[in-house]
Amino acid sequence: MHLIADLHGIAGEKLCDADAIAALLRAAAQAAGATIVYSHFHGFGPGQGITGVVLLAESHISIHTWPELGFAALDIFMCGHAQPHRALAVIEAALAPDSRTIQELPRGYAVAPLSTREKS
């Protein structure tokens, strides 16, 4: 499952601490039952946004934040037995957005293709 989440109305101070966001996304991955391989986060300076990714054996969680807009964009992609909705719940509980838009995209071999191509 691939979740695309836009979280709006977040207190700006929650979106500019790279270490705190890194810890949050790592905790979210653990809550989802995912296996963390590596993570990297970059803060763009005091009071500015963050971009980061937690690489998982099951895929990844990434985030981009705009504290001046109270906005965070998340990409949570997990396969196997990992549960991306659990990761999202942990992130939302910590960031407390006023509103959210979530897209769920089933992915992988179990999803029937929309079209097939003939082999030449």
Side-chain angles (χ1 to χ4, degrees):
M1 179 61 63
H2 193 158
L3 303 178
I4 309 262
D6 288 349
L7 307 180
H8 300 271
I10 302 168
E13 64 273 6
K14 293 182 178 182
L15 299 176
C16 41
D17 182 339
D19 291 334
I21 293 287
L24 174 59
L25 266 60
R26 292 177 67 86
Q30 291 171 336
T35 307
I36 297 170
V37 174
Y38 179 77
S39 63
H40 182 76
F41 289 80
H42 175 77
F44 291 97
Q48 296 185 23
I50 294 159
T51 188
V53 64
V54 177
L55 298 177
L56 307 169
E58 299 81 6
S59 198
H60 69 275
I61 303 175
S62 65
I63 192 167
H64 305 281
T65 72
W66 289 265
E68 70 277 14
L69 301 175
F71 176 70
L74 286 144
D75 188 68
I76 304 171
F77 184 17
M78 296 179 182
C79 62
H81 296 291
Q83 299 180 39
H85 289 95
R86 286 187 180 178
L88 181 58
V90 167
I91 294 165
E92 286 188 296
L95 297 181
D98 288 339
S99 66
R100 67 186 193 136
T101 303
I102 309 297
Q103 296 177 55
E104 293 187 16
L105 306 170
R107 309 267 318 259
Y109 68 90
V111 178
L114 295 176
S115 64
T116 57
R117 288 187 261 168
E118 291 182 30
K119 294 183 180 180
S120 51

